[in-house]
Each structure stands twice: as structure tokens, then as C-alpha cells.
Amino acid sequence: MLWTPLNRFLDRIRPRRQAVVLLADAVLILLAWHTTYLFRMGVERWLHERPNYDGAVLLGVIAVYSAVSWALNVPRATWRYTSFHEITRLSWVCLGAGLASAVVVLMAHLVEVPRAVLALHPVFSLIMMSLARMTVRMLSESSRARRAGRQPTGQRALVLGAGAAAKLLIAGIQHRGWTVVGLLDDDARKQGSSIAGVNVRGGLDMLTDASMLDDVTHLILAMPSASNAQRKRALDLAAATGLPVVTVPSADELREGRSRIDRVRDIEPDDVLGREPVKLDESAVSDLISGQTVMITGAGGSIGSELCRQIARFGPSRLVLFELSEFALYQVEQDLGERFPHLPLVRLVGDVKDLGALRRAMQLHQPDLVFHAAAYKHVPLMEDDNAWIALRNNTLGTYLVAQAAAEQGVKRFVLISTDKAVNPTNVMGATKRAAEMVVSHWAGKGTNTRFMAVRFGNVLGSSGSVIPKFKEQIAKGGPVTVTHPEITRYFMTIPEAAQLVLQAAALAETGQVFVMDMGKSVKIADLARELIRLSGHTEAEIPIVFSGLRPGEKLFEELLADADTTLPTPHPRLRLAQLRGELPPDWIERLMALAVDESASAPPTLRARLHELVPEYAPR
């Protein structure tokens, strides 16, 4: 290419760049002088009908231009980075030097030099010097773009979508090392047009044409406002190409200011699942929270921290953050302080098993609402050596928080429960089912506090979720481990879960257990395959290995026990569970005895005693 030897030459002359620039400009001024004569006198006369002192005048003109150029620091500028500012300086050079040269020639009565040449020469000089600089810059940038496209790190993207998001994306992304080679959109009106100089080549179906993908390294999904069905179709077509797929932020992320349109990110599982967004009855939730003091236990956890963010949107008078982990409390405090700088925060390091700390916190801060999200939830970790600790934290902790809430006259107490509490086969699920039974116990005590629970399934992105593990394994080159080829789970996003908890809290009467509509269950193996494909790999490159079910793990989760029924609620994504049966009179006493009996900490003993308290618990 032309640029390669030119670039080598420019590198060699860099130590003497200013002298070389002056010489190059002198040549361009000389060419402009002759071009001006040609323009003024025509081809037949331009060379022969000149005064005999024309050469001396030309040397004088070049000297004047060089002096003015030096005075304005023009030789210091690098041609490959020529800007509008540099062209402006050249204009002043040509104007000043051209005017000075004309004045000197006229004062010297050199009448044989045509006046038109003196007038036009500065214009021709400016054009030639500007063109020379712009040509060098154009060759430099063209070469740089070709090199980036050939390098392994060069990112050449085909954008799916040609709307406003794509226009903003192109404007920002090309400064981040990306080259956008084309756009695809199903809207026939956009096909054949161009956005920011990039052509809309056709519809999304053209992804099946191998020639369309020549020299493309990535696909970018730029459809933040499209329906879930449209996004799912685009992702399916993109995944079939075998290229890595990234996306612009979702409409919610952009609206809430969590990202910018040119900050592309990897495809997340909620993009793949294609769930319709939750629509809250914001008026009812606002009436519940606005102006109230709200306390969240486990405020630094995945669900607890998102509850804090969602609650903060509705204008509580104060948030009381109760968290055992100092670091988690610090993180959520920093996040809330940045997002909601005017919201008063009370930051308490405390243990839900410490009744004294709970009483002090509620007496001092007088919460109107308590959301109890503190829990141990990792099934394998809680199954053996930590089983008794799980019972104390998940069940005894719920009892003590509920007790303190009832004593203080809190208006509503909401337990965050789980689908693993239904016909539990593991200790964690059994302790959460026992926690629901604790809520039922307190609901029957006739206090002024409304007690309720909300069940949901696996939350995408929460700590311990399978999805971050899959992404980490893919990044390492595999294999991806799945426990069983037929295992299924319900999934929802963290914001979705938190929003439905608030909606349930606004609807609930005391003693009720709400069940979230989790949509369709998803095969974990299918989800793993989809994530592998969207990362630009195949199962041959990143295999899936089935490791076998872990202790206490089910093939599928249930949201309702066999003997339960549900009733509809005003919100389409929430159902009301009608749980049968009353607690035995001594149930609470037996629970409290087990929670303080260290001799029961041996896993077999604990499981047997827990089965007596939760008859539907069937250890595996």
C-alpha cells in the first residue's frame, strides 16, 4: 500500500520534521504559483509570457510564506493528525503572506506580474497545502482501520437493528476500537439506506447467508425497545452464526441511567429467556412505602440490596439497613448513597439471631415495614456441616425478627421465601418452609402486624446462581458442568423479584403466602448450550459435563405443595397460596428447643428432628 513506504519515510524524517515541512510547503507554493499563471493565462501563454524577474519574485513569495508559517508554528504540526484548527492556521498564513507579497510587488512597481496572479495565488496555495495534509491523514486512518480489522483484537461488527439505538451506537462505538461494517433490519423502509455512512444491507434473515458474515468478528444486537419475541428471534438467528454476540443495554438500563447506548455488554440470561417485564401497580406500592420507615434484614445480599434500590424509588422517609456482613453493608450503602443521595440511611451491623439487637434497632428507628431477606440459601453448603446453622439463621432468625416486629407494632412483615420450601428435599428448603410456618404462627397471634411471605424461584445473577458459574467456566474454555441432563428450574431477574415482593406486600393480608408466576421452567442444560453458542463457541470447543445431582437437589422445583391450592390476585404475576392445616400446639416450643440444642447439630440428628417439625420434608 502507498501508506507503508510513506509512513516509513515520515518516521525517518521526524527529527528534521520542521525543515522538511517548510520545504514541502515551499514546493506546494511553487506549484500553486505556476497553477495560478496557468489559470490566468492559459496553456499556450502561461510559461512564455512572464517577466524575466518572475523567478526572483517567486523566491521572495516563498520566503514570505515560510516566514509567516514559521511565526504561526505551522511546521510543528503533524500531517497525519491534521485538524480543522490546523487548516484555520494555514488560512491565516496564506492570507497574511499573500497580502504581504502583493504589497511588496506593487510597491516595487513590478507591473508585469499579473494582478490576478497576486490575488489568486493565496487561494491556490491554501487548497494545495490543505489537500496535501488531508491526503496524508486519510491514508494514515485508512491504514489504521485495515490493520485493526486484520488483527485478532480487531472488532468488526454487524449491527442487528437500524433504529435510533443503532445510530447512537455507531456514533460512540467506533472510538472504542470497533468497526461497524453494516446493519440488518427487518423494516423494509430502512433497507438500502445508510446510517452515519454505514449501509443497511437487508433483513435479519440475511444472517443465514455466509457471505454476509465475511470479515465480521462480532454481532451487536441494537434493539433495546423491541418486544421480547423480536429480540428472541434475533438472538436465535445470531446464535446460529457461531459468532460472539453482544448487545446494547436494555431499555430499562438506559432509562434508569445504569449504562450508555455505546457500552455494549455480553448477552445475559434474561435476554435469552425473553420474559415480559413486570408491570407494577405503582400507585399501590407508593401508598405502601412513601413517607414510611422501612427496615430490610440481609440488606447487603442479592435480593436485599435490590429491594433497597426498588424501595428507595418510592420515597420512604428512611431506610434501615440491617446486615451481618460489614463489607456487604458498605457496598449497599455506597450504591444507595450514589443513586439516592437525599435518602436518609441507617446502617446497622447485626445478626438476626440476636433478639436484643433487633429490639434495639426497632425501638430506636420505629420501622413501619420490615422485609426479612436475611437467609442462608446455598443448598449444598447447608446440607451437612452447616445444617444446624441454617436452621438457626433461616428459621430461628425469622422467629426473632417477627417477634421484635410484633412487639414494636410494625405494620407489615414480609418474609422472602423460596420454591425450595415446597415439598423440600434439602435442609435449606426445610428451614425456609419452617420459616413460613413461623410466619403463620405469628399471623395467628392477633397482633397489629400483618405477616406474609413471598415465594419465588432462582434469581438470575444472585449470589450462588448457576449463571455466573456458567459464564466463568465459558471464559476459562470449559467444560461447563451441569448436574443432570433433565434438571429444570424457574428463573427470574433480581429487579423482577424485588418488584413483585413489593407488589405482594401492598396486596397481602396477614397469614398469606404469595407465589410468583415464574413463567415456564427452563432446562439448565439448554440454558448452558445457549450461553455457549452466544459466546461464539460450539459444544465441541466447550463441552457440557454432567456431574450428577448433589445431595438434597431435585430434578425440578415446585412452587406449590401437592395439597395446596391457589387463588388469583389483582396482579397477574402473583397467586395466593392457600396452605392447609394448623400448627400443633407445641410446634414453636419444639422448634425453639431444636434451635438451641447443640447436640442436634450432627446432620443425621438435625434432619430427623427437622422432619418432625416439617412433615413434608423428605431428605434425599
Side-chain angles (χ1 to χ4, degrees):
M1 299 298 294
L2 174 61
W3 174 251
T4 302
L6 178 58
N7 190 45
R8 284 198 293 265
F9 171 74
L10 293 176
D11 287 338
R12 282 198 300 270
I13 66 172
R14 186 170 295 149
R16 296 177 293 278
R17 183 179 65 212
Q18 295 186 50
V20 173
V21 168
L22 283 175
L23 178 61
D25 282 343
V27 172
L28 293 170
I29 292 165
L30 178 129
L31 290 175
W33 184 264
H34 291 304
T35 304
T36 308
Y37 264 102
L38 179 64
F39 179 81
R40 167 66 178 81
M41 305 180 71
V43 175
E44 296 179 355
R45 302 170 50 205
W46 75 281
L47 188 58
H48 303 291
E49 297 185 13
R50 297 193 191 189
N52 54 9
Y53 51 78
D54 185 72
V57 171
L58 177 56
L59 289 176
V61 168
I62 291 174
V64 172
Y65 271 79
S66 298
V68 176
S69 180
W70 184 269
L72 294 180
N73 291 322
V74 169
R76 294 176 181 271
T78 304
W79 286 22
R80 71 187 83 186
Y81 301 115
T82 295
S83 64
F84 178 76
H85 176 68
E86 178 63 20
I87 300 301
T88 302
R89 282 201 295 179
L90 285 176
S91 301
W92 286 111
V93 168
C94 293
L95 177 63
L99 184 60
S101 300
V103 169
V104 171
V105 168
L106 293 175
M107 290 180 64
H109 300 289
L110 303 176
V111 294
E112 293 184 41
V113 177
R115 303 297 182 266
V117 170
L118 295 175
L120 292 176
H121 179 254
V123 177
F124 280 87
S125 297
L126 176 62
I127 292 173
M128 288 193 172
M129 289 192 289
S130 299
L131 281 177
R133 286 162 169 78
M134 295 305 296
T135 299
V136 170
R137 174 167 179 171
M138 180 186 67
L139 291 172
S140 172
E141 292 189 350
S142 176
S143 175
R144 192 183 305 121
R146 283 194 299 273
R147 289 199 305 273
R150 287 195 299 268
Q151 291 169 354
T153 56
Q155 296 166 310
R156 297 176 58 81
L158 186 64
V159 175
L160 311 185
K167 184 176 182 179
L168 294 172
L169 171 72
I170 294 171
I173 200 173
Q174 301 201 81
H175 299 292
R176 303 180 186 277
W178 291 82
T179 301
V180 178
V181 300
L183 302 105
L184 299 178
D185 197 292
D186 285 334
D187 188 343
R189 295 170 298 179
K190 297 176 181 176
Q191 294 169 12
S193 64
S194 66
I195 295 177
V198 181
N199 293 329
V200 183
R201 299 182 177 182
L204 297 182
D205 288 335
M206 296 192 72
L207 286 171
T208 59
D209 183 356
S211 64
M212 180 63 62
L213 306 176
D214 286 346
D215 211 20
V216 173
T217 63
H218 290 74
L219 301 177
I220 301 179
L221 183 65
M223 304 164 59
S225 301
S227 69
N228 284 325
Q230 291 171 321
R231 287 174 61 85
K232 186 70 168 63
R233 173 176 174 268
L235 282 172
D236 289 341
L237 289 169
T241 65
L243 291 171
V245 185
V246 294
T247 183
V248 300
S250 67
D252 286 340
E253 290 172 302
L254 296 172
R255 183 168 52 251
E256 295 172 12
R258 285 182 277 154
S259 189
R260 288 169 38 188
I261 195 71
D262 57 347
R263 303 280 186 180
V264 295
R265 60 166 173 80
D266 291 337
I267 298 294
E268 299 293 344
D270 44 312
D271 298 313
V272 177
L273 294 176
R275 293 172 59 84
E276 291 297 330
V278 173
K279 291 186 172 70
L280 283 180
D281 179 358
E282 300 218 351
S283 176
V285 176
S286 179
D287 289 343
L288 174 72
I289 293 173
S290 179
Q292 303 292 298
T293 296
V294 183
M295 179 174 177
I296 302 98
T297 68
S302 306
I303 302 301
S305 60
E306 184 62 29
L307 269 173
C308 293
R309 286 185 282 270
Q310 296 290 343
I311 290 168
R313 293 172 47 223
F314 292 95
S317 63
R318 180 170 46 181
L319 275 187
V320 181
L321 313 177
F322 195 86
E323 170 62 54
L324 180 59
S325 166
E326 177 193 26
F327 180 64
L329 181 61
Y330 169 78
Q331 284 188 309
V332 71
E333 176 226 12
Q334 292 295 302
D335 182 47
L336 292 172
E338 182 178 339
R339 293 172 184 251
F340 308 98
H342 303 297
L343 175 62
L345 300 177
V346 178
R347 303 148 297 173
L348 301 176
V349 175
D351 188 342
V352 293
K353 301 186 293 296
D354 184 345
L355 180 59
L358 291 166
R359 281 173 169 163
R360 287 192 299 274
M362 294 194 193
Q363 287 170 0
L364 181 60
H365 302 293
Q366 300 285 310
D368 300 289
L369 308 168
V370 172
F371 291 88
H372 179 44
Y376 292 141
K377 64 178 185 175
H378 298 272
V379 171
L381 283 178
M382 299 300 115
E383 193 61 24
D384 291 311
D385 296 335
N386 299 308
W388 189 60
I389 298 299
L391 173 76
R392 285 177 54 77
N393 192 75
N394 293 358
T395 310
L396 175 63
T398 299
Y399 181 90
L400 297 178
V401 177
Q403 179 181 346
E407 291 174 353
Q408 193 56 43
V410 170
K411 295 177 183 177
R412 293 178 190 244
F413 172 96
V414 183
L415 167 69
I416 310 302
S417 191
T418 171
D419 56 1
K420 294 174 177 61
V422 183
N423 294 327
T425 58
N426 51 66
V427 169
M428 193 282 284
T431 61
K432 292 298 283 186
R433 175 62 185 135
E436 292 181 354
M437 296 164 76
V438 164
V439 170
S440 296
H441 163 78
W442 279 103
K445 297 278 282 184
T447 68
N448 293 327
T449 303
R450 293 186 185 182
F451 290 92
M452 62 208 69
V454 183
R455 286 181 190 160
F456 49 78
N458 295 273
V459 178
L460 294 169
S462 64
S463 63
S465 171
V466 71
I467 306 304
K469 179 182 176 183
F470 284 170
K471 295 175 71 175
E472 181 180 348
Q473 290 173 333
I474 291 170
K476 291 179 178 178
V480 173
T481 56
V482 178
T483 56
H484 192 282
E486 298 301 320
I487 193 168
T488 63
R489 288 292 182 267
Y490 294 98
F491 286 101
M492 69 192 326
T493 67
I494 293 178
E496 182 180 21
Q499 290 167 14
L500 287 174
V501 167
L502 298 183
Q503 189 69 73
L507 294 172
E509 298 298 330
T510 193
Q512 293 180 333
V513 176
F514 281 82
V515 180
M516 295 187 179
D517 173 13
M518 301 291 295
K520 295 181 180 179
S521 62
V522 177
K523 268 192 178 182
I524 300 298
D526 290 345
L527 186 56
R529 291 187 183 99
E530 192 79 357
L531 291 175
I532 290 170
R533 291 170 65 203
L534 290 170
S535 69
H537 299 285
T538 65
E539 278 192 69
E541 297 170 328
I542 299 181
I544 295 176
V545 174
F546 297 102
S547 57
L549 290 175
R550 297 171 294 185
E553 189 171 38
K554 294 180 181 180
L555 270 181
F556 59 92
E557 299 290 1
E558 308 156 272
L559 292 178
L560 288 172
D562 296 335
D564 295 336
T565 58
T566 63
L567 297 174
T569 72
H571 196 283
R573 298 286 291 276
L574 291 169
R575 302 282 297 179
L576 182 61
Q578 297 289 93
L579 305 179
R580 296 194 323 181
E582 294 184 1
L583 297 178
D586 63 342
W587 189 87
I588 286 294
E589 287 74 15
R590 288 189 288 136
L591 169 67
M592 299 300 287
L594 177 58
V596 297
D597 185 1
E598 293 192 16
S599 66
S601 61
T605 304
L606 188 283
R607 291 192 190 99
R609 298 273 296 274
L610 192 52
H611 175 65
E612 294 173 3
L613 290 169
V614 184
E616 60 263 45
Y617 169 44
R620 291 184 183 176

